Amino acid sequence: MFCGFGGYGYSSLSSIGLGGMFLAMGFRMLIFIVLIILAVKLFRNYTNKSNDPMRILNEKFASGEMNQEEYLKRKAILSEKN
């Protein structure tokens, strides 16, 4: 059906054939998977950076760079900002 002149056209017997159709579908699926992976990585980076000051504060307290009173005071200040 719709083969056109010389066998070129949009039928299942065209020059691309079924193999080319599956190759194109696989390529689109690969692009879709890569886009999903990039979106997940960007989301994780965003969530890690959004709580960055609190993480730094916790690390300084855990390493002994500040005492409990200073830690609680700074934590309260950071909590008010968010």
Side-chain angles (χ1 to χ4, degrees):
M1 200 170 190
F2 303 115
C3 286
F5 180 76
Y8 298 106
Y10 297 106
S11 73
S12 62
L13 300 174
S14 68
S15 62
I16 294 176
L18 289 176
M21 183 179 70
F22 286 124
L23 183 65
M25 189 170 38
F27 185 69
R28 288 180 185 147
M29 186 67 76
L30 182 67
I31 290 174
F32 183 69
I33 290 170
V34 167
L35 288 176
I36 289 176
I37 290 171
L38 285 175
V40 168
K41 285 188 177 196
L42 288 174
F43 180 73
R44 284 186 182 167
N45 285 341
Y46 175 74
T47 56
N48 286 344
K49 289 181 181 178
S50 65
N51 201 10
D52 201 37
M54 192 63 77
R55 183 183 55 81
I56 293 171
L57 182 66
N58 290 337
E59 287 175 0
K60 284 187 176 187
F61 179 67
S63 67
E65 292 182 36
M66 65 178 66
N67 60 15
Q68 185 177 5
E69 180 183 331
E70 185 179 357
Y71 170 76
L72 292 174
K73 185 172 85 172
R74 290 184 182 195
K75 185 176 178 181
I77 292 171
L78 287 174
S79 296
E80 288 175 6
K81 288 183 179 181
N82 294 332

